[in-house]
Amino acid sequence: DTTAPAASGALASVSDTGVSGDNLTYLATPAISGTTEPGSAVSVLINGQTYTTTADPITGVWSVTAATLADGSYTPVITVTDPAGNVATVNGTPFSVDTTPPATPTVAALTSNVLQPTLSGSATLQTGDSLTVTVNGATYSVTPDAQGNWTLDLAKATPVSGTLAAFVDGQSYSVIATVTDAAGNSSSDTSSSELSINLSAPSIVLPEAPNGINAAEVASNN
C-alpha cells in the first residue's frame, strides 16, 4: 500500500449552531470531524494547537474537540497517517466562532382597552439577526423599521409557532422579545408583565348632595 489516504474535516454538525452547513458556531470549544482511511492516525492543527485521535477502524470517521477558541475564523490542518505509514495533509473546511450575543431588545409597557392590542418596542439587528416576540402562548416573527422600532398588531399578525390564548380583563402578561444572531446566540428583553388588559369603564362618583336634594339633580346642574 503506497497510496496516501484521502482525508477531510470540517465543523461537526453537532457544533454547527447557525444554519446547518454554514460552518458558524457559538461554541468556544467546537468539535471538528471528518473521514479518512479506517484505522488511520489523525492529527488536527487548530490555532497553533494539535489534537490527535484515531479514525474508526470500520467507517474511518474521526472527531476532536478544540480547546477554548476566541471569536474569529479558523482553518483546521489535518494530517492523516494510514496503517501502512502513508501520510497525507489537507486543509479542512474553514469555520468561524462567534460567542458574542446580539444587542438586547426592549418591549414598551402598555395598558390596553382592547383584547388584541398592538405591541411595540425596539431592537437593533445586524446582518443575519432575527427578532421574535412571544406573548400568551404565541410566537411571532417581527421586523424592526430602519430606526430599530418594532410593532406587532395582534389582531392581524399570524404566529410562527403556538396559539395566542385569549387575554383576560384585569390581567398582566409578559411580552418576550428575543434577538437571535446567525451563530445562534440570543438576547431577550429584561422586563416583565409589560402588557396589562383593562376593559372596564371608569366609575363616576357623584358629589354628595345636601339634605333633601336629589344627587342626580346636583350632578346634572354641575
Side-chain angles (χ1 to χ4, degrees), residues 33-110:
S33 64
T35 58
T36 187
E37 186 175 324
S40 296
V42 180
S43 67
V44 184
L45 178 66
I46 305 172
N47 197 36
Q49 187 165 344
T50 299
Y51 308 87
T52 60
T53 189
T54 301
D56 185 273
I58 297 175
T59 65
V61 173
W62 59 265
S63 179
V64 298
T65 300
T68 302
L69 299 174
D71 285 10
S73 297
Y74 302 90
T75 299
V77 179
I78 303 156
T79 299
V80 176
T81 303
D82 70 12
N86 301 297
V87 179
T89 298
V90 298
N91 286 339
T93 303
F95 67 94
S96 296
V97 175
D98 175 10
T99 63
T100 305
T104 302
T106 67
V107 176
L110 173 66

Side-chain angles (χ1 to χ4, degrees), residues 12 30 42 70 93-94 100 116 119 122 133 149 167 180 190-191 210 214:
V42 180
T93 303
T100 305
Q116 292 182 308
L119 308 176
S122 64
V133 176
N149 301 309
F167 292 111
T180 304
T190 57
S191 55
N214 185 278

Side-chain angles (χ1 to χ4, degrees), residues 15 23 41 52 54 136 138 197 201:
S15 293
N23 297 299
T52 60
T54 301
N136 207 22
I197 303 297

Side-chain angles (χ1 to χ4, degrees), residues 33-34 40 49 79 82 106 113 121 138 148 154-155 165-166 186 196 201-202 204 207-208 217:
S33 64
S40 296
Q49 187 165 344
T79 299
D82 70 12
T106 67
N113 62 354
L154 294 177
S186 63
S196 297
I204 300 175
E208 184 177 349
E217 182 181 348

